[in-house]
Amino acid sequence: EPEVTQTPSHQVTQMGQEVILRCVPISNHLYFYWYRQILGQKVEFLVSFYNNEISEKSEIFDDQFSVERPDGSNFTLKIRSTKLEDSAMYFCASSGEGGRNYGYTFGSGTRLTVV
Amino acid sequence: EDQVTQSPEALRLQEGESSSLNCSYTVSGLRGLFWYRQDPGKGPEFLFTLYSAGEEKEKERLKATLTKKESFLHITAPKPEDSATYLCAVQAPRNTDKLIFGTGTRLQVFP
């Protein structure tokens, strides 16, 4: 069964450092998303990406965050200057029809720890 | 404001003891309601999508139903491997695909 692959599974970084979280979505999917889940809290939407541009972003997704699809297969989330409160699980997701009929396929996540 | 509330927060069942999880939502114009299963340290795993009141979907021991205000996930004769957190999410209306998640129900099934 096709899956969304995320790397690394766990990243520890110092406050103020830049991190890049990587995702390989399902190959024939066109819609890509990042969500995050702070420990013990809800899964929260960050950003959606379609046709090589951001289609929607949440209030959380401020100027410190950026996304890119550099080569047609990878989808990355960059946090420019990490803060302690960025510590969370970050999930990449993709879908073929904007989630219709088959839902969204999530990756296993990257646990980001900012120290 | 669009909102999703799940209950109970946690549920402990004996193997074979059927029960239901609830997801109530407040959304102006539901486009879709999703159920996911999440194991510890893993991403949400897609179970069902429901689109209109009265719709039902089944998969093995799970059955999801939808009304205009809530959805139920019925678990029939659960097994220990059904232990997980079950997440409900709604697809917000109007040209957006983002999902709004509830806090989930943590299910534990004991042998």
Side-chain angles (χ1 to χ4, degrees), chain A residues 1-105:
Chain A
E1 190 171 328
E3 58 181 29
V4 174
T5 305
Q6 289 188 245
T7 54
S9 57
H10 191 187
Q11 173 128 18
V12 181
T13 189
Q14 289 205 324
M15 193 168 54
Q17 295 295 304
E18 175 183 288
V19 295
I20 298 176
L21 310 183
R22 302 180 191 280
C23 169
V24 179
I26 293 173
S27 61
N28 62 347
H29 281 183
L30 301 175
Y31 300 81
F32 313 111
Y33 312 86
W34 284 100
Y35 285 78
R36 80 171 185 189
Q37 187 176 31
I38 295 171
L39 188 63
Q41 298 187 22
K42 296 182 183 184
V43 177
E44 303 174 287
F45 170 79
L46 291 179
V47 66
S48 58
F49 192 86
Y50 171 71
N51 203 24
N52 280 321
E53 60 182 25
I54 290 174
S55 47
E56 186 178 3
K57 58 185 181 181
S58 72
E59 292 175 354
I60 303 167
F61 195 89
D62 61 21
D63 292 343
Q64 296 292 332
F65 292 87
S66 63
V67 290
E68 196 178 30
R69 187 155 162 80
D71 56 15
S73 61
N74 291 285
F75 180 49
T76 62
L77 174 69
K78 182 192 291 187
I79 309 175
R80 267 182 264 284
S81 178
T82 50
K83 305 170 193 169
L84 294 175
E85 53 264 38
D86 294 327
S87 295
M89 280 288 281
Y90 287 81
F91 295 109
C92 174
S94 69
S95 72
E97 301 175 345
R100 297 174 192 90
N101 298 319
Y102 302 107
Y104 303 75
T105 304

Side-chain angles (χ1 to χ4, degrees), chain A residues 35 37 56 98 100-101 104 107, chain B residues 36 38 51 91 96-97 99:
Chain A
Y35 285 78
Q37 187 176 31
E56 186 178 3
R100 297 174 192 90
N101 298 319
Y104 303 75
Chain B
Y36 283 88
Q38 187 177 29
Y51 292 102
Q91 191 172 33
T96 173
D97 291 326
L99 295 178

Side-chain angles (χ1 to χ4, degrees), chain B residues 1 11 23-26 31 47 53 57 65 69 93 96 101 104 108 110:
Chain B
E1 183 184 341
L11 183 62
C23 170
S24 61
Y25 61 90
T26 309
R31 289 175 59 211
L47 294 174
K57 287 191 177 172
T65 62
K69 294 182 179 180
T96 173
F101 280 86
Q108 292 179 289
F110 294 93

Side-chain angles (χ1 to χ4, degrees), chain B residues 15-16 37 61 77-84 107-111:
Chain B
E15 184 171 3
R37 169 190 172 128
R61 295 178 291 283
K79 299 182 178 182
E81 54 261 41
D82 294 322
S83 298
L107 174 66
Q108 292 179 289
V109 182
F110 294 93

